[in-house]
Amino acid sequence: MSLYKHFVTDVLIVGTGLAAITVALHLPDNLRALLVTKGTRSETNSMRAQGGIASSALEDDHEAHRADTVRAAKGWVNPEAVEFVTREGRTVISELEALGVIFDRQENGEYAVGREGAHGLPRIFHSGGDQTGCRMMETLSEKITHPVLEQTVITQLLTSGGRVVGAAGYRGEERIEISARAVVLATGGIGGLLSTSTNDTTITGDGLALAAAVGANLSDLGYVQHHPTILVHHGKSVGLITEALRGAGAYLMTRDGHRVMDNHPERDLAARDEVAAMITAVRKQESVYLNTTPVRQLAERFPTFARKCEELNINPELVEVTTGVHFLMGGIETDLAGRTSVAGLYAVGETASIGLHGTNRLASNSLLECFVMGKAVARQLQLAPRRPLPAFRQVFGCEDDVLQEKLSEVLTVELKEDRLQATLEQLMSESVQQTGRQAEQNRLHIMTGRLLLEGALRRLKEERQTNEQMAPAATT
Ligand code: SIN
């Protein structure tokens, strides 16, 4: 008798966000899938997405969207990935509508598309105003017929002959093993590993540590995006304020009315990293506020924001903001079919890196990536030869406050090499000897923390080298 509860499936999907359910929804009927999630199926970043989904559906072609994506990313992209996702992106709105998602329209029946930072044109589609993620997820999740195991954490990928053939972990406190022909990591970003982020607390970068442990290639882990507008209440960060508000006319200012982004050619619609850097610099001297008075029909178009202000008894017309960890640009390297460098292992969504986001993701390109790449992974799984299953025989957030604080102190908008190095050395000297669900999760979180610190140090080194190479040219 096995000591473990054993599950068998064709495709194990780790995660229940948009990328995960898109894969599940597009699998052919002859492939069984099992989805697992650490919390409940709705504890995902996708559920929280306010901004919307970017698509050039209303433009002549995807060229301008492609160019804006590259520009926001500072050119550090895989051009094929940008081409693929923005081109495929043209049809996502009609495909989502066919699946039941209702996008907002104006009174004349035309789509109510919005603008966000670094988009040259209004091309952000919303559902229920700033409730897009939640609306999309509720509609699509209902359509999933595959089983979903909640309260289930994966702590190890199982390999055989160089292939990933399943995974092990805990359902609650019960040890489980899952045999699968393919494993798809769709575990999202890393925000839950830091004390202040816009992410769900269960999103702790587990996919990165799991993939690294079986030798998969990871890239660009030094590029963590800080969202410029996190609502501040009594000195504490209390939630994301969508960039779409600035797209609708809101602007950043200091208490005396000086417009923070006045000197930038794109003003309040500059790329996210540039706005976050400016807010960080200004906040060293004084507080920064978002003035929403130019936004028409605020409560109807931004119900999440309006509700939050009402709950906190804040005047929505002028709210204090700060920056906060939002999105990981890098991740597990994959091709445009979601294949990692390890056979049998796939990655999709924020946990994957196809080279779309460079050093700074363009706003509202993440739901787009999840849907386009989720379909691509499902297509690939359909094509992959059906291998025989190998015959080998249970809310998990980051509960380590000390680790969260250590990482939050150094993974900031302004990275400092000596502080990153010192924290890395501390983490390198830590080892978790115990066994059991909590200990194994801690081990994963420390490993992901190390990967992120190494990524940030690598980024600083590369930036230094680039600056050194450019310095003589600048003086000649
Ligand atoms: C936002 O609504 O500002 C966030 C959307 C995104 O991350 O693209």
Side-chain angles (χ1 to χ4, degrees):
M1 194 178 78
S2 167
L3 282 176
Y4 305 147
K5 183 148 189 174
H6 194 200
F7 297 83
V8 177
T9 187
D10 293 312
V11 184
L12 169 63
I13 304 176
V14 188
T16 52
L18 182 64
I21 65 173
T22 303
V23 176
L25 270 177
H26 290 85
L27 284 175
D29 291 344
N30 65 343
L31 287 182
R32 292 162 304 168
L34 174 66
L35 291 85
V36 301
T37 179
K38 293 197 295 180
T40 63
R41 59 198 287 170
S42 59
E43 282 173 288
T44 66
N45 281 346
S46 305
M47 277 296 279
R48 295 174 162 228
Q50 298 181 25
I53 179 161
S55 164
S56 62
L58 304 178
E59 296 158 45
D60 290 340
D61 54 39
H62 63 284
E63 177 48 32
H65 187 190
R66 191 200 59 74
D68 287 346
T69 300
V70 174
R71 197 166 51 92
K74 312 289 181 282
W76 183 262
V77 293
N78 167 8
E80 284 170 23
V82 183
E83 169 66 23
F84 178 70
V85 174
T86 54
R87 176 166 36 80
E88 295 277 308
R90 285 176 63 73
T91 54
V92 297
I93 302 304
S94 52
E95 289 168 41
L96 285 162
E97 285 177 331
L99 289 165
V101 179
I102 298 170
F103 287 100
D104 298 345
R105 290 180 183 260
Q106 308 170 46
E107 276 171 14
N108 63 8
E110 288 175 11
Y111 287 108
V113 283
R115 240 185 112 178
E116 287 184 55
H119 282 275
L121 292 167
R123 64 167 71 91
I124 320 294
F125 291 74
H126 292 96
S127 181
D130 60 6
Q131 308 170 105
T132 307
C134 177
R135 291 277 177 93
M136 279 174 62
M137 291 299 292
E138 284 176 353
T139 307
L140 301 184
S141 299
E142 269 182 12
K143 299 204 150 34
I144 301 285
T145 51
H146 301 283
V148 180
L149 295 184
E150 298 186 326
Q151 316 293 333
T152 299
V153 61
I154 297 300
T155 54
Q156 192 191 351
L157 294 174
L158 303 171
T159 56
S160 169
R163 268 192 85 80
V164 169
V165 292
Y170 293 84
R171 189 174 187 200
E173 300 294 331
E174 181 191 24
R175 183 102 168 115
I176 61 165
E177 272 187 6
I178 304 167
S179 303
R181 292 190 163 86
V183 175
V184 181
L185 296 174
T187 53
I190 47 96
L193 269 190
L194 295 107
S195 23
T196 303
S197 93
T198 60
N199 291 195
D200 190 276
T201 54
T202 60
I203 306 297
T204 51
D206 299 359
L208 305 177
L210 292 167
V214 295
N217 295 338
L218 280 68
S219 62
D220 291 343
L221 297 186
Y223 295 99
V224 174
Q225 182 172 75
H226 293 250
H227 196 285
T229 52
I230 308 299
L231 182 61
V232 176
H233 185 51
H234 294 322
K236 287 208 168 97
S237 302
V238 291
L240 177 100
I241 302 179
T242 180
E243 200 167 307
L245 269 162
R246 275 177 286 129
Y251 59 88
L252 296 158
M253 57 176 268
T254 55
R255 179 56 84 185
D256 63 8
H258 167 71
R259 284 186 69 154
V260 169
M261 295 304 296
D262 243 5
N263 290 331
H264 194 289
E266 292 170 281
R267 305 185 90 192
D268 292 87
L269 287 178
R272 201 171 270 179
D273 56 339
E274 294 164 40
V275 183
M278 184 59 84
I279 293 176
T280 302
V282 174
R283 274 180 58 87
K284 286 181 188 158
Q285 311 294 332
E286 56 185 319
S287 301
V288 174
Y289 300 86
L290 185 71
N291 185 325
T292 68
T293 49
V295 180
R296 287 174 298 104
Q297 299 173 295
L298 183 95
E300 290 80 40
R301 294 164 72 196
F302 299 96
T304 307
F305 172 68
R307 230 175 4 245
K308 187 93 184 169
C309 291
E310 199 180 318
E311 267 166 39
L312 298 171
N313 201 16
I314 297 176
N315 176 1
E317 292 189 342
L318 192 67
V319 294
E320 187 182 344
V321 294
T322 185
T323 63
V325 169
H326 187 55
F327 189 88
L328 177 64
M329 266 75 68
I332 306 161
E333 263 181 37
T334 75
D335 64 11
L336 295 180
R339 287 176 290 201
T340 70
S341 56
V342 177
L345 183 64
Y346 296 72
V348 64
E350 189 172 344
T351 201
S353 176
I354 56 170
L356 175 67
H357 307 304
T359 65
N360 177 63
R361 169 172 67 79
L362 182 66
S364 290
N365 264 359
S366 55
L367 293 181
L368 174 67
E369 178 187 18
C370 288
F371 194 72
V372 168
M373 290 307 299
K375 284 192 306 171
V377 169
R379 261 193 316 263
Q380 180 60 36
L381 289 166
Q382 184 170 1
L383 295 174
R386 280 178 75 91
R387 294 169 185 277
L389 279 160
F392 65 91
R393 15 159 217 104
Q394 205 169 149
V395 177
F396 306 116
C398 175
E399 286 154 47
D400 186 344
D401 296 350
V402 178
L403 175 68
Q404 278 187 328
E405 240 162 70
K406 275 185 198 157
L407 290 175
S408 301
E409 276 166 15
V410 294
L411 289 172
T412 52
V413 171
E414 294 164 352
L415 298 171
K416 296 274 186 309
E417 187 162 358
D418 52 344
R419 300 179 63 203
L420 287 162
Q421 191 62 47
T423 310
L424 178 60
E425 278 161 25
Q426 282 177 24
L427 291 198
M428 292 306 261
S429 65
E430 285 184 26
S431 66
V432 182
Q433 303 300 342
Q434 300 91 327
T435 52
R437 198 260 307 163
Q438 188 60 56
E440 288 183 44
Q441 270 196 265
N442 286 349
R443 206 163 20 243
L444 274 186
H445 297 156
I446 291 170
M447 179 146 176
T448 305
R450 285 180 195 158
L451 290 167
L452 291 172
L453 294 167
E454 283 165 358
L457 282 163
R458 206 173 307 120
R459 166 185 177 172
L460 288 181
K461 190 173 162 201
E462 282 162 8
E463 286 176 353
R464 201 171 44 243
Q465 281 168 351
T466 308
N467 289 340
E468 280 165 12
Q469 277 161 13
M470 290 174 68
T475 54
T476 52

